[in-house]
Amino acid sequence: MISKPLETNVRAHEKSAVINLIGDINASADEEMNAAFSQALVLNPESVVLNFTEVEYINSTGIALIVGLLATARQHKVDILTFGLSDHYREIFEITRLSDFMKIVEGDQAAQLVGTT
């Protein structure tokens, strides 16, 4: 399997910062993810929304990176919300209990969070 390097873009939407994740979340995504999260925090959001719509692959190191973002968010008193997880990765988030620490949103609620309605 050929890895697709992670790309991100960050934008403000109302009281949130939205991070669009594009590519694979693995060890090589560490710098990109942390830079995007830092950029999101500069916007002083109430929540950071992680858009997984264009993420094709997440390995165990990628899960650890997401756990690291949760720790950073907790330090800054910022909620993390996610959307766009495939059924497979949603199940992994539930099994690993990541979903206990970040809200997974879908459909209209996700669209409102990112301003696509």
Side-chain angles (χ1 to χ4, degrees):
M1 179 174 141
I2 298 173
S3 179
K4 285 180 69 178
L6 184 70
E7 297 176 30
T8 61
N9 60 61
V10 179
R11 64 184 175 82
H13 175 70
E14 296 180 4
K15 296 178 182 180
S16 297
V18 179
I19 302 175
N20 295 309
L21 304 162
I22 304 135
D24 297 341
I25 302 177
N26 53 31
S28 66
D30 184 30
E31 189 174 313
E32 183 71 20
M33 283 188 72
N34 286 314
F37 204 77
S38 293
Q39 185 180 352
L41 290 175
V42 168
L43 299 172
N44 199 28
E46 291 180 8
S47 62
V48 174
V49 181
L50 301 176
N51 175 0
F52 286 91
T53 304
E54 295 186 56
V55 171
E56 295 179 21
Y57 178 73
I58 307 171
N59 67 12
S60 58
T61 303
I63 295 293
L65 294 174
I66 294 165
V67 170
L69 294 183
L70 283 168
T72 302
R74 177 174 258 174
Q75 290 173 346
H76 289 88
K77 296 179 174 59
V78 174
D79 292 327
I80 294 187
L81 295 87
T82 66
F83 77 96
L85 287 167
S86 68
D87 290 340
H88 172 73
Y89 289 117
R90 184 181 179 118
E91 183 176 356
I92 288 173
F93 275 44
E94 290 170 359
I95 290 168
T96 60
R97 301 196 58 198
L98 279 172
S99 59
D100 291 353
F101 302 97
M102 60 177 63
K103 184 175 182 180
I104 299 173
V105 295
E106 296 178 354
D108 290 344
Q109 187 178 15
Q112 290 172 1
L113 284 171
V114 298
T116 58
T117 58

